[in-house]
Amino acid sequence: MKTKLIPLFFGAMALMGCGDKETQEAPAKPTVDVDAMIGKMSLEQKAKLVVGTGMDFHIPDSILSKMPKPPVDPDTAYADMVKRIRTYLPGAAGNTSEYPEIGITTQVLADGPAGLRISPTRKDDDNTYYCTAFPIATVLASTWDTELVNEVGKTMGKEVLEYGADVLLAPGMNIQRDPLCGRNFEYYSEDPLVTGKMAAAMVNGIQSNGVGTSVKHFAANNQETNRMSTNTVVSERALREIYLKGFEIAVKESQPWTVMSAYNKINGQYVSESKDLLTNILREDWGFEGYVMTDWGGGSDIVTQMEAGNDLIMPGQKEQIETLIKAVEENKMDEAILDKNIKRILEIMVKTPRFKGYDVSGKPNLKKHAEVTRQAATDGMVLLENKDNTLPLTDVKKVAVFGTTSYDFISGGTGSGDVNEAYTISLIDGLKNGGFQINDALQTTYEAYIKDARAKQGKPDNWLAAIMGAKDPVAEMPIKAQDVSKAAESSEIALITIGRNSGEGGDRKPEAGDFYLTNTEKQLIAEVTKTFHAAGKKAIVVLNVGGVVETKSWAQIPDAVLCAWQPGQEAGNSVVDVISGKVNPSGKLAISFPVKYEDAPSSKSFPGYSIEGETGDEEDLSGFSFMRRVPWETVYEEDIYVGYRYYNTFEVPVAYEFGYGLSYTNFEYSNMEVDKQTFTDELLVSVTVKNTGTVAGREVVQLYLSAPTVILEKPEQELVAFGKTKMLAPGATETLHFVLRTKDLASFDVARSSWIVEAGDYELKVGASSTKINGTAKFNVAQEILGDKVHKALVPQADFKKLSRN
């Protein structure tokens, strides 16, 4: 099926060739007088353009009855327009208004971070429109490979283009502040540099197709609990160095077409109403050129949102349109504010495929895209344990597969970050595809158990996931000792999968069955390993998880542990590529694994507390956001000490440190050098890596900086650069080069609202992880260097206790 996107001014303009051509020519940029368009618009049209056209989504009547009215009155020209634009891409998250008589086309906005989320089936259409479920962001960050992430972005963007979307609501790039955030799977890392570099690579890849992105959720949106109303109390320094830095990198290095403002407040004000954040920081400090949209149902005061620089309100309510019209008519808001918002929206609109009349095929090359996701997943898997070179499986064919998730593998998380893919390759299918023989008796037992458990299973605890059709993983099946013994007799090795899932609408819990393993799961690992060891055979655990789980109490029991994460639709094939040795694992953790949850620096304050003396409206479901507004506050007492910055500085042991990951080969570091002993504005760093093992492999090289304390205290070390070698054959070497500039060394001085590099002695550390350091080099800064001066912004309303090493 082909859909023609009718251009309004310029005739049929091909944005580019078929979505999967290897080479693409950039289209000629048409000259469009956006100001003239605005001049033709009535006040009502302006108000409707900055407010979305509602959400075409099945919502239970029990919830729908409590929600504000969508911005559509039946039997009107506006209603006819909304009905029409919703047919352009069924299942899209939302649309802007369309005014053909003025030359304004709708912008189709679609989820999400792991791939395009649309309806796979359509009324009166026998075709299916599946999308590729790519590896979750945690997987991609674990590759530490920006070129690979860029390629994933290019591939993802082709589906956005060929299915007829204009803006992909992705990537998600909030900091993984706490292990229990329900949407951590959508986010990259606990580190802002990794987050920013990965996001910039993804945005550049997607937008290379002539479609847009919306980086989200801006900013300090690090939990799902009371996400609509939580007040994030955080210092200016932690904001700049941790929670805004990734966004700053992405904006400066990729210029996403749009930014999505988050639900929460920062230091007392909703971020979608914050001029400090959306104008002073985003546009004036960083030079953002696109428009800002709200998250769905975000914010409270639409006039304040417009004035703050939040240009588009999604998904849109009738009352919001009426409020804007009234505000202008009663001189409570200058119409010029609306014009400014609209101009930013239209300046992006003229870049879109729909405006340019791109000929949508509806047929991206899904087979080719599956190959990309399969490789990306293997490169992001992290080998946590591998005793006596248990992996790869070189002479093993008969495998006993334990764990319910092995037969019901999880490709990705739930909510708007989910994808309607055609299939997910289970671990069982992946093993069979890889030439392994499966224990049929075990497979029959597990599949019967899963079928029965599914029939008895209720809706997910996360009701938003339930609305979107998700199912909780089946509880682990208690295993019988005789079944394990029989499997050990007839199989050569055991595989055990432990699965976890989470998603939008709720946070995880620090309890068994979530962060911790259940007794059934621990007994499964212990019993299977013990029995197979008694038979002279080995056992391997595969973690099919979206985020951190506790590992310290059990990971030394089996012979190997592979963290496969949630690797997308080719999941089973990707896992088998690694365990068979077809791919040498090169992933490294972009998040720390604490020994226990209480060791996490945010554990004492996550997810916050209710605000005394304030009450929320139990009937208020806040537009289309599905969550009540409960007066809530979360104080970021750990300040700048997030993740490894905390563990390394305060010498708190971890199960697996940031940057950790094993390989089937070994690497040697040598010749670490800096090009000068005194830094002024630039420093060149080089290090040579040699493969000293017996198989080809790639190594992630991490560069950390330890800085002196003069005015500002610093973490023990911070990541300032990273790179990944090419595939090195045994005995081969590669020299990696890094360029460090003022911004890479600087810390944020709140007193001066400036980035500064303090005078003193600095030490660079290059390593295979944040604690496995393989080389050091020192340099000096003779006198303080003043970096960028920025707006004084987002100041906490009151002082609060912050973690300090002093």
Side-chain angles (χ1 to χ4, degrees):
M1 177 183 177
K2 298 188 80 175
T3 302
K4 189 70 171 180
L5 304 187
I6 310 270
L8 299 180
F9 283 146
F10 306 104
M13 293 179 58
L15 177 61
M16 57 183 63
C18 180
D20 287 76
K21 281 188 176 180
E22 293 301 321
T23 58
Q24 303 168 342
E25 292 185 4
K29 188 174 182 179
T31 301
V32 181
D33 191 341
V34 168
D35 291 322
M37 286 185 181
I38 298 172
K40 296 176 182 179
M41 298 178 72
S42 67
L43 175 58
E44 182 179 355
Q45 287 174 323
K46 291 177 181 179
K48 287 178 177 177
L49 185 61
V50 298
V51 175
T53 58
M55 194 169 183
D56 186 20
F57 185 61
H58 175 69
I59 303 168
D61 292 338
S62 60
I63 295 176
L64 188 63
S65 63
K66 300 176 183 179
M67 295 172 63
K69 296 177 183 178
V72 180
D73 289 324
D75 304 320
T76 66
Y78 181 74
D80 291 340
M81 179 269 292
V82 172
K83 184 177 180 180
R84 180 179 70 249
I85 63 178
R86 285 179 178 174
T87 66
Y88 295 163
L89 186 58
N95 294 73
T96 60
S97 290
E98 180 172 273
Y99 300 117
E101 69 279 11
I102 301 175
I104 295 175
T105 54
T106 184
Q107 293 181 52
V108 179
L109 315 175
D111 291 316
L116 183 65
R117 179 182 173 86
I118 58 174
S119 298
T121 58
R122 302 176 186 179
K123 186 178 180 181
D124 301 323
D125 188 342
D126 294 333
N127 295 304
T128 54
Y129 300 89
Y130 292 115
C131 299
T132 303
F134 292 90
I136 62 172
T138 307
V139 177
L140 298 180
S142 300
T143 70
W144 295 68
D145 187 342
T146 54
E147 291 184 6
L148 176 64
V149 174
N150 181 261
E151 185 61 32
V152 171
K154 288 178 180 177
T155 307
M156 195 181 295
K158 288 172 183 175
E159 295 187 17
V160 176
L161 176 66
E162 291 304 326
Y163 278 134
D166 297 297
V167 176
L168 185 67
L169 305 176
M173 50 183 304
N174 294 104
I175 294 297
Q176 294 193 25
R177 171 185 176 246
D178 189 274
L180 300 184
C181 174
R183 296 181 82 173
N184 273 350
F185 76 95
E186 294 186 40
Y187 309 143
Y188 292 111
S189 176
E190 68 189 32
D191 180 77
L193 178 66
V194 174
T195 296
K197 293 294 185 180
M198 293 296 158
M202 177 64 76
V203 170
N204 282 326
I206 294 170
Q207 294 189 171
S208 69
N209 292 275
V211 296
T213 58
S214 188
V215 297
K216 63 182 187 180
H217 309 88
F218 189 58
N221 180 194
N222 307 110
Q223 64 189 64
E224 288 295 285
T225 302
N226 294 316
R227 66 180 184 177
M228 296 304 305
S229 51
T230 190
N231 179 33
T232 297
V233 179
V234 58
S235 73
E236 294 174 75
R237 183 179 177 191
L239 268 174
R240 291 283 186 171
E241 292 189 10
I242 305 294
Y243 300 103
L244 298 182
K245 186 174 180 179
F247 285 100
E248 180 179 5
I249 292 169
V251 166
K252 290 182 176 180
E253 296 186 6
S254 65
Q255 275 297 340
W257 285 11
T258 79
V259 167
M260 183 186 293
S261 58
Y263 287 127
N264 55 286
K265 300 175 183 178
I266 294 180
N267 295 329
Q269 185 176 36
Y270 282 114
V271 296
S272 64
E273 301 172 14
S274 173
K275 187 174 182 180
D276 266 0
L277 184 66
L278 305 183
T279 296
N280 296 344
I281 293 177
L282 180 62
R283 292 187 168 97
E284 296 181 9
D285 286 349
W286 300 349
F288 175 62
E289 298 171 358
Y291 71 81
V292 176
M293 70 176 77
T294 63
D295 203 340
W296 270 227
S300 178
D301 185 331
I302 190 172
V303 172
T304 304
Q305 288 173 317
M306 293 290 108
E307 293 173 339
N310 198 117
D311 309 293
L312 177 63
I313 310 300
M314 293 301 296
Q317 301 170 19
K318 179 182 177 182
E319 291 82 358
Q320 292 170 326
I321 295 171
E322 294 170 346
T323 298
L324 285 179
I325 293 172
K326 185 177 180 181
V328 172
E329 290 177 340
E330 295 181 355
N331 295 318
K332 294 179 180 178
M333 185 180 75
D334 193 332
E335 190 170 351
I337 298 292
L338 276 184
D339 292 346
K340 183 184 293 185
N341 301 131
I342 290 168
K343 185 171 183 177
R344 289 192 284 245
I345 293 171
L346 295 183
E347 285 176 341
I348 294 300
M349 179 202 72
V350 300
K351 299 180 180 181
T352 62
R354 181 162 299 279
F355 182 81
K356 294 180 177 182
Y358 180 70
D359 195 7
V360 170
S361 71
K363 296 179 180 179
N365 191 336
L366 297 181
K367 183 177 180 180
K368 181 179 179 181
H369 297 180
E371 295 172 1
V372 174
T373 192
R374 180 171 177 170
Q375 180 198 343
T378 61
D379 286 2
M381 292 181 184
V382 182
L383 185 60
L384 299 178
E385 299 289 342
N386 195 25
K387 298 176 185 175
D388 301 322
N389 298 316
T390 297
L391 293 175
L393 304 178
T394 53
D395 298 317
V396 170
K397 286 299 177 185
K398 296 180 180 180
V399 183
V401 184
F402 297 88
T404 57
T405 311
S406 297
Y407 301 84
D408 194 14
F409 219 76
I410 304 166
S411 63
T414 64
S416 60
D418 189 18
V419 179
N420 293 317
E421 68 269 35
Y423 62 85
T424 295
I425 302 294
S426 70
L427 180 56
I428 294 299
D429 291 335
L431 288 165
K432 292 178 179 177
N433 294 340
F436 291 92
Q437 298 173 26
I438 307 302
N439 185 296
D440 292 334
L442 275 179
Q443 182 173 358
T444 299
T445 300
Y446 271 104
E447 289 180 346
Y449 169 81
I450 293 169
K451 182 178 180 180
D452 182 62
R454 285 279 182 224
K456 297 176 181 177
Q457 190 178 49
K459 294 182 179 180
D461 292 337
N462 182 337
W463 57 270
L464 182 55
I467 290 175
M468 292 186 167
K471 297 178 180 178
D472 284 335
V474 170
E476 187 55 64
M477 182 183 79
I479 194 72
K480 297 178 180 178
Q482 59 265 35
D483 291 338
V484 179
S485 296
K486 289 179 181 179
E489 292 172 3
S490 59
S491 304
E492 297 172 277
I493 201 162
L495 282 180
I496 309 161
T497 302
I498 302 296
R500 291 289 185 273
N501 208 359
S502 65
E504 184 176 8
D507 289 314
R508 296 173 57 202
K509 296 178 175 60
E511 58 189 36
D514 199 336
F515 180 78
Y516 294 97
L517 270 58
T518 63
N519 287 335
T520 301
E521 291 169 328
K522 287 186 176 181
Q523 289 168 4
L524 174 66
I525 294 171
E527 181 69 23
V528 170
T529 303
K530 177 183 176 182
T531 304
F532 272 71
H533 281 181
K537 301 170 183 178
K538 296 183 177 181
I540 301 162
V541 170
V542 175
L543 290 175
N544 179 202
V545 297
V548 177
V549 294
E550 187 274 328
T551 58
K552 186 68 174 179
S553 66
W554 59 266
Q556 296 302 316
I557 297 173
D559 299 282
V561 179
L562 176 68
C563 185
W565 305 112
Q566 293 170 346
Q569 68 182 49
E570 287 287 317
N573 288 335
S574 297
V575 172
V576 173
D577 284 345
V578 172
I579 65 176
S580 68
K582 182 178 179 181
V583 174
N584 187 348
S586 61
K588 303 266 188 162
L589 296 178
I591 46 177
S592 306
F593 275 48
V595 171
K596 57 185 184 297
Y597 174 67
E598 290 74 18
D599 289 340
S602 56
S603 62
K604 293 182 178 63
S605 60
F606 183 90
Y609 54 88
S610 61
I611 301 176
E612 294 183 9
E614 295 188 21
T615 58
D617 184 355
E618 288 299 306
E619 297 301 310
D620 174 20
L621 293 186
S622 305
F624 287 82
S625 60
F626 311 122
M627 297 182 73
R628 294 181 176 87
R629 299 194 183 214
V630 177
W632 198 262
E633 192 160 86
T634 307
V635 182
Y636 286 24
E637 296 175 347
E638 70 279 5
D639 201 41
I640 60 172
Y641 296 105
V642 177
Y644 71 90
R645 288 170 167 80
Y646 168 75
Y647 299 116
N648 291 359
T649 301
F650 294 92
E651 299 181 344
V652 177
V654 294
Y656 299 107
E657 74 271 15
F658 178 83
Y660 172 88
L662 301 177
S663 170
Y664 296 154
T665 191
N666 298 301
F667 298 96
E668 179 182 271
Y669 290 60
S670 63
N671 301 325
M672 183 180 180
E673 297 178 351
V674 294
D675 70 332
K676 62 187 73 170
Q677 295 302 308
T678 300
F679 177 88
T680 51
D681 58 357
E682 188 174 282
L683 187 72
L684 303 182
V685 186
S686 61
V687 62
T688 299
V689 178
K690 180 179 181 179
N691 183 348
T692 58
T694 59
V695 297
R698 302 181 68 195
E699 171 73 334
V700 174
V701 179
Q702 304 157 44
L703 188 63
Y704 295 90
L705 177 72
S706 294
T709 294
V710 181
I711 301 172
L712 306 176
E713 69 173 276
K714 314 288 198 315
E716 177 64 25
Q717 62 190 42
E718 297 180 88
L719 185 74
V720 290
F722 61 88
K724 195 166 187 176
T725 68
K726 61 186 179 183
M727 184 64 69
L728 296 178
T733 64
E734 181 180 356
T735 299
L736 284 78
H737 303 274
F738 305 98
V739 180
L740 299 181
R741 299 182 175 87
T742 298
K743 65 181 178 63
D744 302 308
L745 277 55
S747 300
F748 188 71
D749 182 7
V750 173
R752 288 178 282 180
S753 294
S754 294
W755 292 91
I756 64 169
V757 179
E758 299 196 282
D761 295 326
Y762 288 73
E763 184 176 34
L764 288 167
K765 306 173 183 178
V766 67
S769 78
S770 58
T771 61
K772 187 180 179 182
I773 302 304
N774 296 319
T776 62
K778 295 183 179 180
F779 65 93
N780 175 266
V781 174
Q783 58 184 13
E784 180 187 272
I785 300 171
L786 191 64
D788 293 338
K789 184 172 180 60
V790 297
H791 283 82
K792 184 76 172 175
L794 300 171
V795 180
Q797 296 172 305
D799 197 17
F800 61 96
K801 184 178 180 181
K802 294 180 281 291
L803 182 63
S804 172
R805 63 189 300 183
N806 296 327

Coordinates of all heavy atoms in Angstrom, one line a residue, residues 617-642:
D617 N -6.1 16.1 44.1 CA -7.4 15.8 43.6 C -7.5 14.3 43.1 O -6.9 14.0 42.1 CB -7.8 16.7 42.5 CG -9.3 16.5 42.0 OD1 -9.9 15.5 42.5 OD2 -9.7 17.3 41.1
E618 N -8.1 13.4 43.9 CA -8.1 12.0 43.5 C -8.9 11.8 42.2 O -8.7 10.7 41.6 CB -8.8 11.2 44.6 CG -8.0 11.1 45.9 CD -6.7 10.4 45.6 OE1 -6.7 9.3 45.1 OE2 -5.6 11.0 46.0
E619 N -9.7 12.7 41.8 CA -10.4 12.5 40.5 C -9.7 13.2 39.3 O -10.1 13.0 38.2 CB -11.8 13.2 40.6 CG -12.7 12.5 41.7 CD -12.9 11.0 41.4 OE1 -13.2 10.7 40.2 OE2 -12.7 10.2 42.3
D620 N -8.6 13.9 39.6 CA -7.9 14.6 38.6 C -6.9 13.6 37.9 O -5.9 13.2 38.5 CB -7.1 15.8 39.1 CG -6.2 16.4 38.1 OD1 -6.4 16.2 36.9 OD2 -5.3 17.2 38.5
L621 N -7.2 13.2 36.7 CA -6.3 12.4 35.9 C -5.4 13.2 35.0 O -4.8 12.6 34.1 CB -7.0 11.3 35.2 CG -7.7 10.3 36.1 CD1 -8.3 9.1 35.3 CD2 -6.7 9.7 37.1
S622 N -5.4 14.5 35.1 CA -4.5 15.4 34.4 C -4.5 15.1 32.9 O -3.5 14.8 32.3 CB -3.1 15.2 35.0 OG -3.1 15.4 36.3
G623 N -5.6 15.4 32.3 CA -5.6 15.3 30.8 C -5.5 13.9 30.4 O -6.2 13.0 30.8
F624 N -4.5 13.6 29.5 CA -4.3 12.3 28.9 C -3.1 11.6 29.5 O -2.5 10.8 28.9 CB -4.1 12.4 27.4 CG -5.4 12.7 26.7 CD1 -5.9 14.0 26.6 CD2 -6.2 11.7 26.1 CE1 -7.1 14.3 26.0 CE2 -7.4 12.0 25.5 CZ -7.8 13.3 25.4
S625 N -2.7 12.0 30.7 CA -1.5 11.5 31.3 C -1.8 10.2 32.2 O -0.9 9.5 32.6 CB -0.8 12.5 32.2 OG -1.7 12.9 33.2
F626 N -3.1 10.0 32.5 CA -3.5 8.8 33.2 C -3.0 8.7 34.7 O -3.2 7.7 35.3 CB -3.1 7.5 32.5 CG -3.4 7.5 31.1 CD1 -2.4 7.3 30.1 CD2 -4.7 7.6 30.6 CE1 -2.6 7.3 28.8 CE2 -4.9 7.6 29.3 CZ -3.9 7.4 28.3
M627 N -2.4 9.7 35.2 CA -1.9 9.6 36.6 C -2.4 10.8 37.4 O -2.3 12.0 37.0 CB -0.4 9.5 36.6 CG 0.1 8.3 35.9 SD 1.9 8.1 35.9 CE 2.2 7.7 37.6
R628 N -2.8 10.6 38.6 CA -3.3 11.6 39.5 C -2.1 12.5 40.0 O -1.0 12.1 40.1 CB -4.0 11.0 40.7 CG -5.3 10.3 40.3 CD -6.0 9.7 41.6 NE -7.2 9.1 41.2 CZ -7.3 7.8 40.8 NH1 -6.3 7.1 40.7 NH2 -8.5 7.3 40.5
R629 N -2.5 13.7 40.3 CA -1.5 14.7 40.8 C -1.5 14.7 42.3 O -2.4 15.2 42.9 CB -1.7 16.1 40.2 CG -1.6 16.1 38.7 CD -1.5 17.5 38.2 NE -1.5 17.5 36.7 CZ -0.9 18.3 36.0 NH1 -0.1 19.2 36.5 NH2 -0.9 18.2 34.7
V630 N -0.5 14.1 42.9 CA -0.4 14.0 44.3 C 0.8 14.9 44.7 O 1.9 14.8 44.2 CB 0.0 12.5 44.7 CG1 0.2 12.4 46.2 CG2 -1.1 11.6 44.3
P631 N 0.5 15.8 45.7 CA 1.6 16.6 46.2 C 2.8 15.8 46.6 O 2.7 15.0 47.6 CB 1.0 17.4 47.3 CG -0.5 17.4 47.0 CD -0.7 16.1 46.4
W632 N 3.9 16.0 46.0 CA 5.0 15.0 46.2 C 6.4 15.7 46.0 O 6.5 16.7 45.2 CB 4.9 13.9 45.2 CG 5.7 12.6 45.5 CD1 6.9 12.3 45.0 CD2 5.3 11.6 46.4 NE1 7.3 11.1 45.6 CE2 6.3 10.6 46.4 CE3 4.2 11.4 47.2 CZ2 6.3 9.5 47.2 CZ3 4.1 10.2 48.0 CH2 5.1 9.3 48.0
E633 N 7.4 15.3 46.7 CA 8.7 15.9 46.6 C 9.8 14.8 46.7 O 9.7 13.9 47.4 CB 8.9 16.9 47.7 CG 10.1 17.8 47.5 CD 9.9 19.1 48.4 OE1 10.3 19.0 49.6 OE2 9.4 20.1 47.9
T634 N 10.8 15.0 45.8 CA 12.0 14.2 45.9 C 13.2 15.0 46.0 O 13.4 15.9 45.1 CB 12.0 13.3 44.6 OG1 10.8 12.6 44.4 CG2 13.2 12.3 44.7
V635 N 13.9 14.9 47.0 CA 15.1 15.7 47.3 C 16.4 14.9 46.8 O 16.6 13.9 47.3 CB 15.2 16.1 48.7 CG1 16.4 17.0 49.0 CG2 13.9 16.8 49.2
Y636 N 17.1 15.5 45.9 CA 18.3 14.9 45.4 C 19.5 15.1 46.3 O 20.4 15.9 46.0 CB 18.6 15.4 44.0 CG 17.7 14.8 42.9 CD1 16.4 14.3 43.2 CD2 18.1 14.8 41.6 CE1 15.5 13.8 42.3 CE2 17.2 14.3 40.6 CZ 16.0 13.8 41.0 OH 15.1 13.3 40.0
E637 N 19.5 14.5 47.5 CA 20.5 14.8 48.5 C 21.8 14.3 48.1 O 22.8 14.8 48.7 CB 20.0 14.1 49.8 CG 18.7 14.7 50.4 CD 18.3 13.9 51.6 OE1 18.8 12.8 51.9 OE2 17.4 14.4 52.3
E638 N 21.9 13.3 47.2 CA 23.2 12.8 46.8 C 24.0 13.8 45.9 O 25.2 13.6 45.7 CB 23.1 11.5 46.1 CG 22.5 11.6 44.7 CD 21.0 11.6 44.7 OE1 20.3 11.7 45.8 OE2 20.4 11.6 43.6
D639 N 23.3 14.8 45.5 CA 23.8 15.9 44.7 C 24.6 15.4 43.5 O 24.0 14.7 42.7 CB 24.7 16.8 45.6 CG 24.9 18.2 45.1 OD1 24.0 18.8 44.6 OD2 26.1 18.7 45.2
I640 N 25.9 15.7 43.4 CA 26.6 15.4 42.2 C 27.1 13.9 42.2 O 27.7 13.4 41.3 CB 27.9 16.3 41.9 CG1 28.8 16.2 43.1 CG2 27.4 17.7 41.7 CD1 30.1 17.0 42.9
Y641 N 26.9 13.3 43.4 CA 27.5 11.9 43.6 C 26.4 10.9 43.1 O 25.8 10.2 43.9 CB 27.9 11.7 45.0 CG 29.0 12.7 45.4 CD1 28.8 13.8 46.2 CD2 30.3 12.4 44.9 CE1 29.8 14.7 46.5 CE2 31.3 13.3 45.2 CZ 31.1 14.4 46.0 OH 32.1 15.3 46.3
V642 N 26.3 10.8 41.8 CA 25.4 9.8 41.2 C 26.2 8.6 40.6 O 27.2 8.8 40.0 CB 24.6 10.5 40.1 CG1 23.7 9.5 39.3 CG2 23.8 11.6 40.6

